[in-house]
């Protein structure tokens, strides 16, 4: 037992040492963009994307805010609705268009720093490309709705909250380290604890026996038994799913070729779980009970088919080498 515990701890330390330093850099970079004028300038970069989505300059600011902080962006979107700059009937289209920059924030600052050092450029690049493809499909659905409905209104030119996007040129290292360090501490705690727990569980004889028992039940799907651990861990936290997947990879319970399909399946479970635990409370608080609940579940109905397409693409891309071989 002591030997198994020591081995689990050493594997946990090795994985954390490979992933956490890059993750810290990502959190600090996100903190700088979130609280400095550099983030505000992202609005100009989002102008072409806003035009593709059928949005005006206020929509461009919304997209830039989505990349920095999705909840803050949606509070700004609510102010645009109150000012008549966005029609209530166009809320879903604008919200879906904002999903692309909002998700790219996580891909750049959190997902990539975890996946690239752990999975390698090839596998990590494929997983990230599948995530981006799903986000692009969601964005396309929002853009189609905006152009069909004419989501942008013609209300006041000074909606409430417009001044809220005017940040200082440099927030100072103390603010950057405080905000970035807080984010890193929360993510690192989840990541490290998930890896340690999974390593301890996997090393135990009951877990090995359980994996052997459930293998026939899920063999017809072509998925390995350890994929159930990844999907379950990803329900409350995508980072937890990544941590479990990396731990299973280190223990040879999953292969690199299997990870794209497993992680896309985990993304589906996380989308449903987070819709109830995170997005529903946040949207109800920002847009009101009726509009917030409707927005949460209608957007989920758009997101799920896009993620299913990404899952099918992952299966096809990883199955082709086996078929051709």
């Amino acid at each position: 037992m002591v030997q198994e515990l020591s081995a689990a701890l050493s594997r946990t330390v090795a994985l954390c040492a490979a992933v956490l330093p890059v993750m810290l850099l990502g959190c600090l970079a996100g903190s700088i963009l979130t609280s400095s004028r550099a983030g505000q300038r992202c609005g100009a970069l989002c102008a072409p994307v806003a035009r593709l989505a059928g949005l005006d300059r206020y929509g461009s600011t919304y997209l830039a805010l989505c990349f920095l902080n999705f909840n803050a962006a949606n509070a700004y979107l609510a102010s645009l609705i109150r000012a008549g700059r966005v029609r209530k009937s166009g809320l879903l289209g604008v919200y879906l268009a904002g999903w692309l920059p909002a998700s790219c924030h996580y891909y750049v600052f959190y997902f990539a720093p975890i996946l690239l050092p752990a999975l390698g450029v090839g596998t990590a690049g494929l997983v990230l490309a599948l995530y981006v493809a799903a986000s692009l499909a969601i964005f396309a659905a929002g853009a189609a709705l905006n152009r069909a409905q004419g989501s942008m209104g013609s209300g006041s030119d000074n909606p409430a909250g417009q001044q809220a996007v005017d940040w200082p040129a440099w927030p100072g290292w103390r603010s950057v380290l405080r905000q970035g360090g807080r984010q890193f501490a929360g993510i690192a705690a989840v990541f490290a604890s998930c890896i340690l727990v999974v390593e301890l569980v996997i090393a135990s004889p009951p877990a090995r026996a359980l994996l052997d028992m459930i293998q026939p039940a899920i063999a017809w799907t072509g998925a390995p038994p350890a994929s159930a651990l990844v999907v379950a861990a990803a329900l409350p936290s995508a980072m937890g799913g990544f941590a479990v997947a990396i731990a299973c990879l280190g223990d040879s319970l999953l292969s690199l070729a299997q990870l794209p399909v497993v992680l896309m399946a985990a993304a589906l479970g996380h989308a449903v779980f987070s819709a109830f635990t995170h997005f529903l409370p946040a949207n109800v608080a920002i847009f009101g009970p009726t509009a917030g609940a409707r927005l949460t579940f209608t957007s989920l109905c758009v997101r799920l088919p896009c993620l299913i397409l990404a899952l099918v693409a992952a299966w096809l891309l990883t199955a082709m080498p086996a078929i051709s071989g």
Side-chain angles (χ1 to χ4, degrees):
M1 182 62 184
V2 175
Q3 187 176 5
E4 294 173 349
L5 178 60
S6 176
L9 285 172
S10 64
R11 288 193 297 268
T12 300
V13 171
L15 288 171
C16 290
V19 172
L20 293 184
V22 185
M23 187 192 302
L24 175 59
L25 293 177
C27 290
L28 293 176
S31 175
I32 292 172
L33 283 178
T34 304
S35 54
S36 71
R37 199 166 294 162
Q40 190 177 24
R41 291 169 183 162
C42 290
L45 299 177
C46 289
V49 181
R51 286 193 292 270
L52 284 175
L55 304 178
D56 60 11
R57 61 190 179 95
Y58 294 105
S60 177
T61 301
Y62 170 70
L63 296 183
L65 283 171
C66 283
F67 180 76
L68 301 175
N69 187 291
F70 198 35
N71 288 332
N74 287 328
Y76 174 69
L77 177 57
S79 74
L80 293 179
I81 293 175
R82 289 193 297 269
R85 294 300 310 176
V86 174
R87 296 186 175 93
K88 290 182 179 180
S89 60
L91 173 59
L92 177 62
V94 179
Y95 182 86
L96 291 174
W99 200 267
L100 176 61
S103 58
C104 283
H105 174 91
Y106 287 92
Y107 303 158
V108 171
F109 296 117
Y110 303 119
F111 287 19
I114 291 177
L115 296 177
L116 285 172
L119 307 185
V121 175
T123 302
L126 175 57
V127 172
L128 291 170
L130 291 168
Y131 270 109
V132 172
S135 296
L136 284 170
I138 296 169
F139 171 84
L145 284 174
N146 291 332
R147 294 187 177 277
Q149 298 177 342
S151 298
M152 305 307 293
S154 57
S156 169
D157 285 335
N158 294 298
Q162 183 69 36
Q163 288 90 8
V165 298
D166 187 19
W167 296 295
W170 174 247
W173 280 112
R174 180 176 298 179
S175 175
V176 169
L177 293 174
R178 182 173 61 251
Q179 181 178 346
R182 187 184 303 117
Q183 292 174 338
F184 172 76
I187 296 173
V190 172
F191 186 84
S193 60
C194 283
I195 286 183
L196 179 59
V197 169
V198 170
E199 291 288 355
L200 291 174
V201 169
I202 289 175
S204 65
R208 293 284 184 178
L210 179 61
L211 290 176
D212 292 337
M213 289 174 56
I214 66 175
Q215 185 168 2
I218 62 175
W220 65 273
T221 66
S227 60
L229 295 175
V230 178
V231 173
L235 289 178
S237 169
M239 305 299 172
F242 293 157
V244 174
I246 293 169
C248 291
L249 177 66
D251 292 326
S252 300
L253 297 176
L254 290 172
S255 67
L256 281 175
Q258 294 167 330
L259 283 181
V261 174
V262 172
L263 291 178
M264 286 301 104
L268 271 170
H270 177 70
V272 176
F273 189 88
S274 62
F276 287 92
T277 60
H278 174 73
F279 292 107
L280 179 60
N283 289 337
V284 165
I286 293 172
F287 299 105
T290 302
R294 185 188 301 117
L295 177 65
T296 300
F297 296 117
T298 52
S299 63
L300 180 63
C301 290
V302 175
R303 292 167 55 207
L304 288 180
C306 297
L307 288 169
I308 290 172
L309 288 176
L311 174 61
V312 172
W315 181 81
L316 291 174
L317 290 171
T318 54
M320 280 192 296
I323 294 174
S324 62

